[in-house]
Amino acid sequence: MSDTHRSQATGLVLAFLAGAVSGAVAALLTAPRSGRETRDRLKDIARDAAGKAVRVPPALHQAYDRAAEAARRAFGEAFGPESSDPGAPPGRDGH
């Protein structure tokens, strides 16, 4: 995968998260609570989210690296040097 594709995927994930956060904030603001209770709850949620957000980019990076390595291995197994071995059983092309 290219860096451009990775940044597009990252942008998509961040846009999804921003939408989810916006929806949650809208739900909290329209809930039948007093202003003080709502503000206190938003502060608690923001603190929790900030603590968790620090872990998201490294986790996404690790998942991307694992997927890329699995794809490399699968490609190597399917089209690697042993696939051109003359003693290998015939493939789909009948060679």
Side-chain angles (χ1 to χ4, degrees), residues 1 66-84:
M1 243 183 232
R66 285 192 307 267
E69 182 58 33
R72 277 192 222 82
R73 277 195 311 267
F75 185 83
E77 290 172 6
F79 302 106
E82 47 289 330
S83 66
S84 63

Side-chain angles (χ1 to χ4, degrees), residues 2-81:
S2 68
D3 288 335
T4 303
H5 185 67
R6 183 188 297 187
S7 65
Q8 288 174 347
T10 302
L12 180 64
V13 169
L14 291 176
F16 176 78
L17 291 175
V21 168
S22 299
V25 168
L28 284 172
L29 292 176
T30 58
R33 288 195 176 93
S34 72
R36 176 177 288 281
E37 289 173 334
T38 301
R39 285 189 301 273
D40 289 342
R41 184 151 182 204
L42 284 173
K43 286 177 188 175
D44 291 339
I45 290 171
R47 274 189 231 113
D48 290 342
K52 292 177 183 176
V54 172
R55 296 182 297 206
V56 170
L60 287 175
H61 183 69
Q62 289 173 354
Y64 171 80
D65 287 344
R66 285 192 307 267
E69 182 58 33
R72 277 192 222 82
R73 277 195 311 267
F75 185 83
E77 290 172 6
F79 302 106

